[in-house]
Amino acid sequence: MIRANDPSLKSWVTVSADSEFPIQNLPFGIVQLPGKPPRVASAIGDFVIDLYRLWELGLLTGLDLNRECLENRCLNDFINRGKSTTRAVRDRLSELLDAEVTRWNSREWRDQFLHPKTEVDLLLPVKVTDYTDFYSSIEHATNVGTMFRGPENALMPNWRHLPVGYHGRASSIVVSGTPIRRPYGQQKPAEPGGSPAYGPSRLMDFELEMAFIVGRSTQMGDRVRVDEAEDYIFGLALFNDWSARDIQAWEYVPLGPFLGKNFGSTLSPWIVSLDALEPFRVVGPEQDPAVLPYLQSNGAKNYDLHLEVAIAPEGGEAFTVCRSNFKYMYWNMCQQLAHQTVNGCNITVGDLYASGTISGPTPDAYGSMLEISWRGSRPIRLPDGSERKFIADGDTVILRGYGERDGIRIGFGDAVGKILPAHEQG
Ligand code: MN
């Protein structure tokens, strides 16, 4: 077992029972302390752990680290050191913070590397080198297919044979807390053959997704096999793939998503290592018909992670509109990576692969407003009495996610974004 995962471990740092950051998590992110360059950090309870400062203090000696990889505005160089290093860092942190080891607990030590989260800025944790978005939830694909093609043809003939995906845009992926401006774009003509409408999107939506970050690069021509794919996955984060449904509906034929998607996507601030998520492994849904040999996957490759989405209107309280779970995914991450590389496509440390909207089997588990309101035909009512079919200006959308076992909760930090009104000038 990985030392840092030991459920009996307790820290001398106070961690509340419902915290997503107990000593068993120790995720990785980038923090900015006032007046200092950005640096690699971890988190425990309500504190961030300054890994650069720990290294300066000589508390990370013997690990394959240096100033350049720790005083850095992204995790890419750190992740590139490999799992042997990132695993050893988590283990070292769990030793330093162990309640049995009180040596670093004094004010003079702890104040040098622990900072309240409220006193720092969390930056985008990775420089996203390339971004792929999959479409791997069978419940989501069935819902959308049913809406647009009817229940008979809900899934396209390819869907159960390969993890459908598209190449997205990395430039507009932002960290939690960054506002998103309602986009302008073309919308479907009111009548067939007519001119398209143009203006601010009227059908703004969120997509509840998880993303994994690649931790090991390949050369062009290489393939990653399903059974070795985990070696290439560094960790996971929450991901909101904001979608303008009206722009999407008009533009997507025949090449797929484009401007209805690439105006912004929100990533949670912490990347939780695959190591820390080990306790939440579960077997995924049975795949029928059997998939081709290069996609065949054995063992527990899905993860039991509770996911939820809340909407907070301007000045109002957050209201949960969806409760789903990452375990529902029909195609797992290893299959996605094997498929992505089966043609020899090379992958790079810092690549981000998003799951696609994660819907569950019941309407309260649908992962987008498109499904929750069933294309706008079933509006929901918020506590302030207002109705929502899609996302309104001033709404803040909050994604949360965590695994919980033996009373230990391991989460990602919220992925939050507020929708600002479109610019006045068209
Ligand atoms: Mn998506």
Side-chain angles (χ1 to χ4, degrees), residues 131 133-134 166 207 209 241 261 356-357:
Y131 157 42
D133 194 23
F134 286 99
Y166 67 94
E207 290 193 337
E209 306 199 15
D241 177 28
K261 297 281 192 177
T357 307

Side-chain angles (χ1 to χ4, degrees), residues 303-358:
Y303 290 81
D304 180 7
L305 300 174
H306 171 80
L307 302 170
E308 56 186 59
V309 183
I311 299 174
E314 187 86 68
E317 60 186 290
F319 178 70
T320 301
V321 297
C322 159
R323 291 180 176 84
S324 188
N325 195 303
F326 192 43
K327 72 181 177 186
Y328 297 133
M329 300 310 294
Y330 188 86
W331 294 102
N332 63 51
M333 296 183 283
C334 298
Q335 293 176 310
Q336 290 170 339
L337 209 47
H339 186 63
Q340 174 84 45
T341 59
V342 69
N343 63 350
C345 172
N346 46 325
I347 60 171
T348 309
V349 170
D351 280 4
L352 183 152
Y353 296 82
S355 57
T357 307
I358 305 164

Side-chain angles (χ1 to χ4, degrees), residues 149 164 211 366 373 377 422:
R149 287 185 299 276
V164 170
Y366 292 171
S373 77
S377 66

Side-chain angles (χ1 to χ4, degrees), residues 2-5 25-29 40-42 51 60 62-65 69-70 75-94 213-216 230-235 271-276 349:
I2 300 164
R3 184 199 193 273
N5 286 5
N25 188 342
L26 302 174
F28 296 106
V40 174
S42 184
L51 297 197
L60 298 180
L63 309 175
D64 178 26
L65 298 169
C69 88
L70 292 173
L75 288 172
N76 300 45
D77 290 352
F78 175 73
I79 295 171
N80 198 30
R81 305 259 149 179
K83 287 206 190 202
S84 57
T85 297
T86 54
R87 213 166 255 168
V89 170
R90 275 185 77 241
D91 281 351
R92 179 69 60 85
L93 291 176
S94 87
I213 303 296
V214 160
R216 183 173 165 189
E230 284 171 358
D231 297 342
Y232 291 81
I233 299 173
F234 170 68
I271 311 296
V272 178
S273 65
L274 213 52
D275 290 342
V349 170

Side-chain angles (χ1 to χ4, degrees), residues 76-240:
N76 300 45
D77 290 352
F78 175 73
I79 295 171
N80 198 30
R81 305 259 149 179
K83 287 206 190 202
S84 57
T85 297
T86 54
R87 213 166 255 168
V89 170
R90 275 185 77 241
D91 281 351
R92 179 69 60 85
L93 291 176
S94 87
E95 288 165 20
L96 295 171
L97 300 166
D98 191 331
E100 308 283 319
V101 182
T102 50
R103 188 165 165 204
W104 318 109
N105 186 5
S106 68
R107 277 262 157 246
E108 58 168 327
W109 277 104
R110 60 179 289 169
D111 286 357
Q112 298 203 54
F113 59 84
L114 283 185
H115 302 279
K117 270 186 192 147
T118 50
E119 292 175 13
V120 305
D121 286 326
L122 296 171
L123 308 187
L124 187 69
V126 281
K127 178 174 169 48
V128 179
T129 38
D130 262 312
Y131 157 42
T132 293
D133 194 23
F134 286 99
Y135 189 56
S136 289
S137 152
I138 198 166
E139 292 84 359
H140 173 69
T142 303
N143 285 341
V144 174
T146 301
M147 272 181 241
F148 292 95
R149 287 185 299 276
E152 306 302 311
N153 307 303
L155 292 182
M156 297 299 269
N158 60 3
W159 202 91
R160 288 175 184 268
H161 295 284
L162 55 85
V164 170
Y166 67 94
H167 284 122
R169 180 109 188 139
S171 68
S172 51
I173 295 175
V174 293
V175 73
S176 175
T178 311
I180 302 289
R181 179 80 58 186
R182 181 179 297 268
Y184 272 81
Q186 288 196 26
Q187 296 136 28
K188 205 174 192 165
E191 284 151 30
S195 296
Y198 170 75
S201 168
R202 286 170 294 181
L203 307 180
M204 265 300 295
D205 203 355
F206 62 82
E207 290 193 337
L208 168 61
E209 306 199 15
M210 298 231 47
F212 69 83
I213 303 296
V214 160
R216 183 173 165 189
S217 302
T218 63
Q219 298 291 314
M220 202 170 150
D222 291 349
R223 295 172 172 198
V224 175
R225 295 194 322 266
V226 171
D227 60 5
E228 61 177 0
E230 284 171 358
D231 297 342
Y232 291 81
I233 299 173
F234 170 68
L236 272 70
L238 294 169
F239 191 73
N240 182 352

